[in-house]
Amino acid sequence: MSQENTSSIIVVGKLGAPYGIKGWLKVHSFTDDPQGIFDFSPWLIGQQGKWQTLEVVDWRRHNKGFIAKVAQVNDRDEAMALTHVEISVDAAQLPELPQGEFYWRDLIGMSVITDKGYDLGIVDDLMETGSNDVLVVKANNKDAFGQAERLIPFLTDTVIKEVKHDAREITVDWDPGF
């Protein structure tokens, strides 16, 4: 994989400390279903500006997390060299989502427009609140309401009216004064 094409690289977890003496490592998963990290193969890790693939040959639950054995690592010293390295995958490996569902990364950078045509700004981030996800929208420099940022609940049908992938635009029913 070339370094120029890093926009399609998604971080899905992180390697932790070595476990035992045979090259096993603790694994911290960032996927919705933590075990889902093992559905991806190979893993990509970036070290010293180069991408390298890791093939998981075995894994299992350990306490509240996971441990994994990767093909190229056979002892504790080799495992130590991978401690705290992010685990990434090519976005092409991500499963297709059902209609109306989105990956957060697809929403970042989209314009947010009210159903009355007011430009609220650009999606800068998303937050998980427990009850629903929230769009963090960075307002335009000359926002008429003096807002720098807006937090808009990602509630389909009530607040989020339409997500136009191709136009990179989200239409919302939202008061610009909030």
Side-chain angles (χ1 to χ4, degrees):
M1 170 159 305
S2 70
Q3 283 179 268
E4 299 82 53
N5 191 18
T6 55
S7 63
S8 68
I9 303 293
I10 309 297
V11 175
V12 293
K14 188 174 176 179
L15 291 168
Y19 176 80
I21 60 169
K22 295 186 177 170
W24 286 72
L25 285 145
K26 292 181 181 171
V27 175
H28 306 285
S29 176
F30 303 158
T31 56
D32 277 350
D33 169 16
Q35 190 172 307
I37 194 169
F38 299 105
D39 294 340
F40 300 114
S41 183
W43 287 348
L44 297 171
I45 59 163
Q47 284 187 308
Q48 287 97 38
K50 292 191 175 117
W51 290 105
Q52 167 186 346
T53 60
L54 289 182
E55 199 68 44
V56 177
V57 291
D58 198 4
W59 67 272
R60 62 178 178 248
R61 289 189 177 278
H62 179 70
N63 295 334
K64 292 184 176 162
F66 302 99
I67 57 174
K69 174 80 175 78
V70 292
Q72 303 89 324
V73 179
N74 298 306
D75 65 37
R76 191 174 182 84
D77 290 341
E78 291 173 353
M80 190 67 97
L82 295 175
T83 301
H84 305 303
V85 171
E86 288 181 334
I87 301 166
S88 302
V89 296
D90 191 318
Q93 288 182 261
L94 297 177
E96 285 288 317
L97 292 176
Q99 185 70 32
E101 289 188 27
F102 309 95
Y103 286 112
W104 280 13
R105 67 183 181 87
D106 295 337
L107 302 175
I108 306 268
M110 283 192 175
S111 298
V112 181
I113 314 286
T114 68
D115 51 1
K116 307 206 177 16
Y118 187 81
D119 183 353
L120 296 172
I122 303 286
V123 178
D124 190 45
D125 199 2
L126 286 105
M127 297 186 316
E128 226 174 318
T129 63
S131 55
N132 56 272
D133 295 335
V134 174
L135 295 173
V136 179
V137 179
K138 187 173 172 45
N140 299 308
N141 288 339
K142 296 186 171 136
D143 187 80
F145 295 86
Q147 301 286 342
E149 181 179 88
R150 292 182 173 86
L151 301 177
I152 302 174
F154 198 89
L155 299 170
T156 14
D157 300 330
T158 53
V159 177
I160 306 297
K161 294 301 180 186
E162 187 178 11
V163 177
K164 299 178 201 148
H165 263 289
D166 297 338
R168 306 274 308 135
E169 187 177 283
I170 301 171
T171 306
V172 296
D173 179 3
W174 195 252
D175 180 346
F178 275 19

